Amino acid sequence: MAEYVAPLKDMKFVLEHVVGLDQVNQLPGWQDLTADVVEAILEEAGKLAGEVLSPLNATGDRAGARYKDGEVTMPAGFKEAYRQYIHAGWNNILSPTDFGGQGLPHLVATPVEEMWGAANLAFKLCPMLTQGAIEAIHHVGPDELRQRFLPKMVSGEWTGTMNLTEPQAGSDLSQVRTKATPQADGTYRLKGQKIFITYGEHDYTENIIHLVLARIDGAPEGVKGISLFVVPKFVLNADGSPGPRNDVKCVSIEHKLGIHASPTAVMVYGEQEGAVGYLVGEAHRGLEYMFIMMNAARLSVGLEGVAISERAYQRALAWSRERLQGRPVGASGGARTAPIVQHPDVKRMLLTMKSLTEAMRALAYWTSALLDRARHHQDEAERKRCQGLVDLLIPVVKGWSTENGIEIASLGIQVHGGMGFIEETGAAQHLRDARITTIYEGTTGIQANDLVGRKVGREGGRTAFALIEQMEAVVKELGAHKNVHLASIGDRFSSAIARLREATQWIVETYPHNPAAVAAGSVYYLKLMGITCGGWMMARSALIAATQMEAGGADGAFLRGKLLTARFYGDHILSQAMGLCAATMRGADSVLAIEDALL
Ligand SMILES: Cc1cc2nc3c(=O)[nH]c(=O)nc-3n(C[C@H](O)[C@H](O)[C@H](O)COP(=O)(O)OP(=O)(O)OC[C@H]3O[C@@H](n4cnc5c(N)ncnc54)[C@H](O)[C@@H]3O)c2cc1C
């Protein structure tokens, strides 16, 4: 298998038919983004992804980022690829227009970002983190910081990082200890250590702008005492150019299971007089600001699950067509040289990969469209409705898609047989790279806590039940068709929805008096919601495909593929809803009964 090929046709189908590009491009400022314009954007992105970033994926994995004396050298070709990437303006498609960005909708940026993640996950992380830092500075300011830092960050001349984690503060950021001491000139001096900082040091650009969580001297303990600071690697001169070196340095980078070309830095602030930092927004509200940014960041990481799955699927499919082994079941006589794609079990693996990837993609894109509507719709009630759905779905997209990404990358290896275990085929890299996605930006356990607690338990399941009702309407539509595949999908989908309703009701009733029981099954519930929402997307996709086929749609084979993939999803994936529902509701007794000492 050569390089990644962007699945443009699939992306276009989802954008135009399943999630409603035509609704997003009616929002103010985006009327020019017609389907043709979006198609042209995706085609261009697909070229860079396939021709420039994808060829560097394996070489970057082998060479890795290299550390020496406080500096990091990126693998051969990465710096030039970054130059091409920013030269073409890809880094600023989501950035604010008032600082030189293109301000495109999330719905358009999402498939583009999927391509970067599929082509080269390690490369993609730098622009993603920069985008997060831009959003934070733009969102909470002050204006002076915006003017000084945003133009160069939006142009890609400087990159950004997110410095949250410390050795004792991982999932629980209330434990952050980095200190910030106010200075007479209004700046702060920061001292402390941050770990696991993605692209904390590299050789792409002349400056790196770190966003750092720290506690101002005398700040209260816990989450309410954390503030957000901008700390540039080089302090700026009066004319805005990089001046003297700040008191922040990268002391090492980690040796990791995957994403070898993404430097993961240990950063030390204030070994001498303290690193110069500028307060972003108001004091003590840093964590709150990070949470505002988190929806987009978690959506991005969820999308990494989709991206890796697509890449692993493409590689496995190509292999299955070339590898000759055995005879198809039921065939007698003849040569034993069937391509393995003909074996039913190999088909099952490929269809598992394909159908889950399609379901996850549609759900991630749909959530992106909701994010756009939540931010830009003219009607306040609609903005609120969409924001509620975004809040509910983000942990699902993040947790479910990344957990699936690992399973799908692993299935990709299985399809390759022994050669999948050998690095040469490239299948193993996808599994190694995918493994981090369920950990950073909040582990799956943290996403599931968020889902069952803040998003379902505390609001009495209001948004979840509204979503379930929306899904039930599609079951009715499926029932109105005579198509045998749609009938089967409708059947499986309707029982998955019933299980989701049952588990949601149980959470709403149990959470107030026994949150630990709910926490014990929270990941199962997250997966149940993921496969059911994914089923909704697949049901919609099947309905559209069947309707277009009946109308004599031009691309019959493509549409038939969509219909049958959705049918597979119903039979093989939605049928898991029963087990997930039972584990959600009945799994707690054993978990909570056993003492820690017995583990
Ligand atoms: C390659 C890489 C890149 C990273 N990039 C960045 C970056 O750029 N910036 C940054 O700030 N950080 C970054 N991180 C840090 C990352 O976000 C954390 O590793 C992650 O949030 C988990 O924290 P932890 O490692 O301390 O694990 P822990 O918090 O110790 O978690 C260990 C286990 O306990 C579980 N757990 C913990 N608390 C709870 C709870 N309340 N309920 C249920 N389960 C719980 C977790 O789910 C997990 O399974 C990166 C990490 C890596 C490995």
Side-chain angles (χ1 to χ4, degrees):
M1 160 83 197
E3 300 302 342
Y4 166 71
V5 179
L8 295 173
K9 212 164 160 179
D10 283 326
M11 289 174 160
K12 201 168 134 61
F13 182 81
V14 176
L15 287 174
E16 290 175 20
H17 302 297
V18 185
V19 304
L21 174 66
D22 56 347
Q23 288 181 22
V24 166
N25 66 14
Q26 277 168 23
L27 296 174
W30 291 329
Q31 285 87 352
D32 294 341
L33 280 174
T34 58
D36 289 350
V37 172
V38 173
E39 187 175 355
I41 293 172
L42 298 191
E43 267 174 25
E44 279 311 305
K47 282 184 203 153
L48 188 81
E51 293 166 17
V52 178
L53 302 184
S54 171
L56 295 174
N57 198 37
T59 56
D61 178 56
R62 282 196 290 274
R66 295 266 169 257
Y67 175 85
K68 191 161 178 246
D69 301 332
E71 294 189 353
V72 169
T73 308
M74 295 298 291
F78 273 62
K79 196 171 170 179
E80 172 56 20
Y82 180 76
R83 202 195 57 73
Q84 284 189 47
Y85 180 86
I86 62 165
H87 187 68
W90 291 113
N91 54 304
N92 67 27
I93 58 175
L94 265 181
S95 300
T97 46
D98 45 347
F99 289 95
Q102 300 176 47
L104 293 183
H106 273 276
L107 183 58
V108 178
T110 294
V112 171
E113 196 177 342
E114 182 194 321
M115 292 183 205
W116 311 142
N120 193 324
L121 180 59
F123 177 90
K124 173 252 183 182
L125 292 171
C126 185
M128 179 190 114
L129 269 306
T130 304
Q131 183 58 35
I134 290 171
E135 270 190 46
I137 299 172
H138 190 256
H139 194 74
V140 278
D143 199 48
E144 192 208 340
L145 281 192
R146 292 195 191 105
Q147 300 298 340
R148 292 177 77 195
F149 291 101
L150 288 186
K152 298 270 187 195
M153 293 174 78
V154 170
S155 70
E157 287 163 87
W158 301 345
T159 63
T161 68
M162 297 299 224
N163 287 237
L164 284 58
T165 308
E166 297 179 10
Q168 77 296 341
S171 299
D172 184 3
L173 289 170
S174 69
Q175 300 305 310
V176 161
R177 280 192 204 139
T178 297
K179 280 170 55 125
T181 306
Q183 306 295 300
D185 63 357
T187 65
Y188 291 77
R189 293 284 177 161
L190 274 77
K191 288 188 186 233
Q193 190 197 50
K194 294 286 177 182
I195 60 167
F196 297 156
I197 304 309
T198 300
Y199 280 87
E201 182 61 45
H202 59 77
D203 60 4
Y204 286 165
T205 55
E206 58 172 354
N207 209 355
I208 302 174
I209 313 304
H210 304 292
L211 281 213
V212 185
L213 285 183
R215 268 177 208 287
I216 298 173
D217 295 347
E221 290 290 304
V223 287
K224 295 255 159 68
I226 297 171
S227 303
L228 183 62
F229 297 88
V230 164
V231 182
K233 177 176 167 185
F234 290 96
V235 179
L236 305 191
N237 293 317
D239 66 0
S241 62
R245 181 73 204 233
N246 205 351
D247 186 10
V248 46
K249 72 175 187 195
C250 166
V251 293
S252 63
I253 61 171
E254 307 292 351
H255 298 278
K256 314 190 290 291
L257 179 65
I259 54 166
H260 292 156
S262 166
T264 305
V266 177
M267 306 295 296
V268 171
Y269 290 82
E271 266 192 340
Q272 287 142 25
E273 68 282 8
V276 176
Y278 310 97
L279 183 66
V280 183
E282 291 173 31
H284 313 321
R285 294 185 60 188
L287 214 50
E288 185 190 321
Y289 298 147
M290 291 313 302
F291 273 102
I292 298 172
M293 253 56 74
M294 225 159 248
N295 269 347
R298 290 185 167 172
L299 182 60
S300 277
V301 176
L303 204 57
E304 291 174 9
V306 181
I308 291 229
S309 300
E310 171 67 34
R311 185 81 194 262
Y313 170 66
Q314 288 189 12
R315 200 181 287 281
L317 179 63
W319 179 270
S320 73
R321 293 196 195 287
E322 281 166 20
R323 171 73 176 156
L324 308 177
Q325 199 69 193
R327 209 184 267 147
V329 180
S332 55
R336 303 183 65 89
T337 52
I340 59 169
V341 70
Q342 293 181 2
H343 298 305
D345 187 58
V346 175
K347 267 189 174 169
R348 174 196 61 80
M349 289 192 278
L350 290 166
L351 274 165
T352 303
M353 298 172 82
K354 178 177 162 62
S355 66
L356 274 169
T357 305
E358 289 187 9
M360 296 187 301
R361 172 179 294 125
L363 186 61
Y365 290 14
W366 189 65
T367 309
S368 297
L370 285 169
L371 196 56
D372 289 324
R373 290 165 70 84
R375 290 184 181 173
H376 297 276
H377 201 278
Q378 298 90 328
D379 179 36
E380 195 190 335
E382 177 62 4
R383 283 203 301 275
K384 225 169 140 202
R385 187 189 73 85
C386 292
Q387 188 61 50
L389 284 167
V390 168
D391 291 341
L392 178 77
L393 287 170
I394 289 287
V396 178
V397 170
K398 187 342 181 146
W400 181 61
S401 304
T402 56
E403 291 285 338
N404 285 339
I406 294 171
E407 275 185 38
I408 290 168
S410 181
L411 270 179
I413 291 180
Q414 195 70 16
V415 170
H416 283 75
M419 281 308 287
F421 197 66
I422 309 300
E423 292 285 355
E424 184 190 322
T425 53
Q429 187 191 346
H430 302 320
L431 181 60
R432 290 188 289 99
D433 285 353
R435 198 62 196 81
I436 184 59
T437 60
T438 58
I439 297 171
Y440 57 22
E441 265 320 318
T443 61
T444 307
I446 295 299
Q447 306 303 322
N449 278 350
D450 182 39
L451 178 67
V452 298
R454 286 200 318 143
K455 311 293 171 64
V456 175
R458 278 189 226 163
E459 64 151 36
R462 194 169 28 83
T463 311
F465 286 126
L467 180 66
I468 288 170
E469 272 168 33
Q470 242 182 304
M471 293 197 235
E472 284 165 342
V474 176
V475 175
K476 287 207 186 95
E477 275 187 71
L478 289 162
H481 274 257
K482 291 202 184 62
N483 185 303
V484 56
H485 299 303
L486 290 184
S488 163
I489 294 165
D491 193 42
R492 306 287 185 275
F493 184 37
S494 131
S495 52
I497 298 174
R499 298 289 78 76
L500 181 62
R501 189 179 266 290
E502 189 183 347
T504 306
Q505 189 60 39
W506 179 81
I507 287 175
V508 168
E509 285 163 13
T510 311
Y511 185 78
H513 63 90
N514 194 355
V518 173
S522 59
V523 169
Y524 297 124
Y525 179 71
L526 180 147
K527 290 185 177 176
L528 173 61
M529 185 166 279
I531 65 167
T532 312
C533 290
W536 179 30
M537 294 292 131
M538 293 306 268
R540 284 168 55 84
S541 165
L543 267 170
I544 293 154
T547 310
Q548 289 188 4
M549 280 163 83
E550 277 165 22
D555 203 344
F558 176 77
L559 296 172
R560 184 173 150 74
K562 286 277 163 236
L563 184 62
L564 291 175
T565 304
R567 167 82 196 260
F568 176 92
Y569 187 94
D571 293 346
H572 294 249
I573 311 291
L574 281 175
S575 52
Q576 296 165 16
M578 179 85 86
L580 289 168
C581 174
T584 303
M585 293 167 51
R586 291 193 278 283
D589 288 352
S590 51
V591 171
L592 301 182
I594 195 161
E595 295 84 8
D596 301 357
L598 298 184
L599 292 173

